[in-house]
Structures are given as C-alpha cells and as structure tokens.
Amino acid sequence: MDLVYFALLCSVLIFVHELGHFVWAKIFGVKVLTFSLGFGPKILRLRGRETEYCIGLLPLGGFVKMLGETRQESVLPEDRARTFEAQSLYRRMIIVLAGPAMNVLFPVLLYFVVLVGEGPQAPPTIGTVAPGHPADGKLLPGDRVLEANGEPVYTFAELRRQIQNSPNKELLLSVFRNQTRVEVSVTPQEVRVEKPFEIVDTVGTLGIGPSQPAAVVGVPRTDSAAYRAGLRTFDVVIEVRGKPIKRFVDLEEALAENHGETVPVTYLRPVRVPGALGTMADLAVYEPGVAALAPEANQNTFLARTGMEPADLYVFDVPDGSAEHMADLRPGDRILAVDNQEVTAWITFEELLFAKPDQPHTITFERQGERRSGSIQLRRELYVDEYGGEQSRYVMRARNWAPLVPEPLVESPHSVRNAFVAAVEETYDVARFIVVGVVRIAEGKIGISTLGGPITVYDVVGEQSAKGVSYFIWAMAIISINLGLINLLPIPVLDGGHLLFFGFEAVLRRPLPLRVREIASLLGMVVLVGLMVIAFKNDVERRWDVIRGQVRELVP
C-alpha cells in the first residue's frame, strides 16, 4: 500500500509541475508537442489536436515538449512564431518559472483542504492565566473575549493569532465577564522563538490558555478538613452532594456557601500500576471513593475552609536518578519557591529554572506541612536532530499533573478565511525553512549527510499515510515545496538553470552561445547526478540495519 501512496504522491506533484509549464505555454501560444507524466514505456497515449498526452510506466518524472526545443526538429514556416525560442524573454521566463511556482503554490491548496476540514474549535474563553505574564491581573479565568482591536473574535485560535501578531503593541480586548461587557487593555510580551537552522521568530504572548483546570485537588496539610475526610493530593472530585463537578471552579462554587455542613464528595483516585504491560507502559487506574467533607466554619478562603487547592504546584512524578530526585524532591511535594522567589504556578517554576538552566538553583518545597529545600541543576543533553546537526537542550524530568477541561467547541463564520490565511502562513514557513536549510548547507553549517533521496521520501509517505489522509496531504505539501524550490536552484538542466541562462541573456542582450549552454548543461547534469548519488547513499546508510535484516531473511 505504501508503494501506491508513493506513486500517487509522485504523480500528483509531477503533474502539477508540468501543468504549470503547459498552461503558460498555451497562454502564450507556444505549440506543445507532448505532455508526458512519467518515464519509460507508455501505458497510455491520447492524441489531442496538436498535443500528445502520455502516461509513462515510471512515475518519477515528466516533461512538456514544446516546438523548437531541439535543433533536429523541422519547423514549418507558419509555426515559427509558435516555437519556444521565438517568444520574448519575459514569456520564456514565465513559462519556465511556472512549473516550480505551481509546486510552491499548490501546498496552499493542500493545507487549506486539511485546515478547513478541522471543524469546530475552542472558543475564545480564558481558561488559565500564567502569573507574571501580561494578562495577569487583567484577564480572568472564564472571561470570554468578544473583540480584539474592534475585530470580532470567534475562536481561541483567532485570538492567539491576534496576540502573536502584536508583540509590544497594545491590544484592546472587549471581554464578557460576569454578565457584563468590559474593555481590557493589554500589551503582549515579545518572545523570541528559536527554530532549527538558526531561524528566530518574534511573536507576542499574554500567558493565557484556552481551558480551565479540572477538579484535581492538592491537600497540603494533614490537619485540614479534606485530609480528615480521607481526600488526598491528586484526587479527582467528580460530584459534591450528587452535583457533577468537572472544573476546579465548579468545586469552589459547589462549596462556596458551606461553612461547616458535612457533604458527600465523590472522587476518583489515580493509583499507579507497577510493571504494566510487562513494564512497557507507565499506567495508573482510578479507584472510586466517597468522602464526608465538613468544611471549617468562620474561614475566609477556600483553602482554609476545605483544605483543598488546585494540584498545579504538586509534583506528580520524579524519576529515580534525576537531578530533582537527588534534590530530595518526591511525588506529592508542593513547590514553594525557587532561589527564594515565591512560585505560584508550575509554569513559573519551569520559567525560573530555565531562565538560567546552566546554574544551580535552590528549590523550596513542602511535604505534609514540613518545609524543605534542595539544590537542583538541570541536566544538559546533547542530541543529533533530524537534520544531522548536533544540538543541546536542558531537561527537567519532574512532572506535575494538572489536566484541563476543554470548553465546548464552536464554529467560526470566518473558518474559510482563517484556513486560507493559515495555509499561506504554513506554506511560507516551510518554504523559508527549506531555503535557509539550503543556505546553511552551502555555508557548511549543516552536513551534506542531511540530504535525502527517494527512499527517504518513500519512508515519509508510508509513515504519514498510515496516520491518515490529512497526514498524507500534509506530507505531500512539504515535498511539493521541496520539489519546487530545488528546481529553482541555478543548476543547468533544472528550471533554475534555464532562468540563469535567461538572466545572462537579459544582461548581454543576446542568448548565450549554444555551445556554452550545452557544456553548462552537461556540467549541471554531473552535479545533479552527484547530488542524487549522495542522497541515495544517505538513504541507504539511514536504513542499513533494516536493509541488512531484509537481506538476511531472503538469503538463508
């Protein structure tokens, strides 16, 4: 089946490429003799009024043969004006450029098809607000954003796009809060996003998320009402006095007016299963329970009355041997501070550690009411990325567990427009990534071992097609952009080589001598074959273990 998908992908992309040449040749009146999809023996031939349409057995190429492209052709006097060489310089440039341009623009359609089919999305409701970020103190969980700078906002993705496009620029948000409409002015913080190949993007961020925390509780003290009732950290409350509970805010509302009355609280407790699936997975199962909770009377805060708070700051997992484990951090501990700076959210804990990842930090935490501290330095790891470059990263292995409850999805009346804009942006990002990658290879910053050939393409197509049609289309879009941009390289025999010849012609006011073009084309063919050999060698080296295993199966 992978072979079918591979043939389909090659055929579609080659057809799109050659169609660009064909259409613009026809628009300018050039006589097209052959439109061929694929090489080798012809399995299908159709004769048009003046063009023969062919499909070859091997779907690894194609061509559009125009009148007058070879010296051996005899051209009738009445057709001389319809040869390719008879066209003006700008027309020839457009015809040649049209093929790669189609491969670069075609992904806009592919991405659009995938994105427009995604359906309803998360609404522009504020779920979480990170402490210390621009939205802190200005936006509240539960706020529904209606407009941004006067433009209606229907989904969280639309809101995020507005924020990302406005670093250090004031945003005036119209927000629905507590049954009233309020205006909130907030300025997104500028953040640098580092990507492979030394690409750096600048975007805006407010520190907000689209979903609110689930009713997963943290129980910090053993003398609290929650602990006496049998509730423990990471219990998931699902009912209070028979009323369903989903979010932590629902739990707060259900107990808001309770000042001493005992109520039944139904919960689910995650219990780890050691050695699950033969140690292949880290699993936990829920054990149900019911607690008789009697909140304290005459206490002002929810934590003081019930002994419960969101579990965001509690450590859920600490792998043995990790830097966090050696700092005496254990599951169930509550993070208090980093370097004597108070921590009010797990994201703040991570930000403080990663702000200076190469330095040791003093973390302060609480365990069953007892205050403790330890020293931690994040571990630095070296790895080789998918492009063959050596990269380094700092990792934190301790994890919290604070699941979120998504809001009901909504439709946007601008879904078609949003999908098109996102498709154009995605196409631009991929094209820029490929261009910068080629430049980095030319600069010697990236090894030529990163080049991939047909085997790599075959593997990618097989992997993505196994995930579903949308993944296959996504892979087709990326490969199409690759094909279009590679064809623009200034190597004779490629479209970019022809454009290079046209550039000399524009400067010299006459075409390059035919002998020069022939020698350049021969050298270009040598370079192209050399690159193909390197790419094939890289493919074989990447799959050598697989190939050797398959050979052993065939040869006893």
Side-chain angles (χ1 to χ4, degrees), residues 505-517:
E505 182 178 340
V507 173
L508 299 175
R509 303 287 181 167
R510 67 178 186 276
L512 285 175
L514 181 60
R515 184 61 178 167
V516 173
R517 283 182 282 166

Side-chain angles (χ1 to χ4, degrees), residues 221-282:
R221 303 187 62 85
T222 58
D223 58 352
S224 64
Y227 194 91
R228 289 194 299 269
L231 291 168
R232 297 293 183 265
T233 297
F234 300 122
D235 285 350
V236 184
V237 177
I238 58 174
E239 283 186 355
V240 172
R241 197 188 281 120
K243 179 181 178 181
I245 302 294
K246 290 186 177 181
R247 305 169 300 172
F248 196 89
V249 67
D250 299 333
L251 177 62
E252 291 178 315
E253 292 175 356
L255 298 173
E257 303 301 325
N258 190 308
H259 293 277
E261 179 186 356
T262 301
V263 294
V265 175
T266 306
Y267 63 87
L268 298 174
R269 177 168 298 164
V271 178
R272 293 182 180 275
V273 181
L277 300 177
T279 69
M280 292 177 59
D282 182 17

Side-chain angles (χ1 to χ4, degrees), residues 115-328:
L115 294 170
V116 80
E118 288 184 345
Q121 300 182 24
T125 301
I126 308 302
T128 57
V129 180
H133 287 252
D136 188 18
K138 295 188 175 182
L139 293 173
L140 304 176
D143 285 353
R144 180 78 169 236
V145 179
L146 304 176
E147 293 180 353
N149 284 344
E151 182 177 340
V153 175
Y154 299 97
T155 67
F156 198 88
E158 294 176 8
L159 175 61
R160 182 184 290 113
R161 184 176 291 112
Q162 285 266 28
I163 295 169
Q164 291 178 340
N165 293 337
S166 306
N168 293 330
K169 297 179 183 178
E170 184 182 31
L171 268 180
L172 184 61
L173 303 180
S174 182
V175 175
F176 188 69
R177 178 188 300 168
N178 297 329
Q179 307 302 315
T180 59
R181 186 170 179 143
V182 298
E183 302 297 320
V184 177
S185 177
V186 61
T187 302
Q189 177 185 359
E190 181 179 287
V191 175
R192 288 166 54 89
V193 180
E194 297 184 358
K195 299 180 178 180
F197 302 157
E198 302 176 0
I199 297 175
V200 178
D201 285 337
T202 301
V203 299
T205 180
L206 290 180
I208 58 174
S211 302
Q212 295 195 45
V216 180
V217 302
V219 183
R221 303 187 62 85
T222 58
D223 58 352
S224 64
Y227 194 91
R228 289 194 299 269
L231 291 168
R232 297 293 183 265
T233 297
F234 300 122
D235 285 350
V236 184
V237 177
I238 58 174
E239 283 186 355
V240 172
R241 197 188 281 120
K243 179 181 178 181
I245 302 294
K246 290 186 177 181
R247 305 169 300 172
F248 196 89
V249 67
D250 299 333
L251 177 62
E252 291 178 315
E253 292 175 356
L255 298 173
E257 303 301 325
N258 190 308
H259 293 277
E261 179 186 356
T262 301
V263 294
V265 175
T266 306
Y267 63 87
L268 298 174
R269 177 168 298 164
V271 178
R272 293 182 180 275
V273 181
L277 300 177
T279 69
M280 292 177 59
D282 182 17
L283 296 180
V285 297
Y286 282 129
E287 289 186 355
V290 178
L293 178 66
E296 302 282 355
N298 304 319
Q299 294 291 337
N300 295 327
T301 67
F302 182 81
L303 175 60
R305 286 190 299 108
T306 65
M308 296 184 294
E309 63 179 350
D312 177 59
L313 275 170
Y314 290 79
V315 180
F316 184 73
D317 181 51
V318 185
D320 293 342
S322 64
E324 298 90 323
H325 189 272
M326 290 187 287
D328 193 35

Side-chain angles (χ1 to χ4, degrees), residues 316-372:
F316 184 73
D317 181 51
V318 185
D320 293 342
S322 64
E324 298 90 323
H325 189 272
M326 290 187 287
D328 193 35
L329 199 63
R330 298 293 183 268
D333 291 348
R334 184 186 188 278
I335 304 298
L336 300 176
V338 173
D339 298 329
N340 296 321
Q341 183 174 342
E342 183 183 6
V343 172
T344 55
W346 187 269
I347 187 174
T348 306
F349 176 53
E350 292 180 335
E351 289 173 347
L352 290 173
L353 292 179
F354 282 96
K356 298 178 179 179
D358 56 341
Q359 298 181 13
H361 299 274
T362 299
I363 58 173
T364 307
F365 51 93
E366 188 178 46
R367 183 180 300 163
Q368 295 183 347
E370 179 185 353
R371 196 178 181 93
R372 301 189 178 200

Side-chain angles (χ1 to χ4, degrees), residues 393-411:
R393 61 188 173 195
Y394 290 90
V395 295
M396 185 176 73
R397 299 181 64 191
R399 297 183 295 117
N400 70 334
W401 186 59
L404 302 174
V405 179
E407 296 283 334
L409 303 181
V410 297
E411 294 278 2

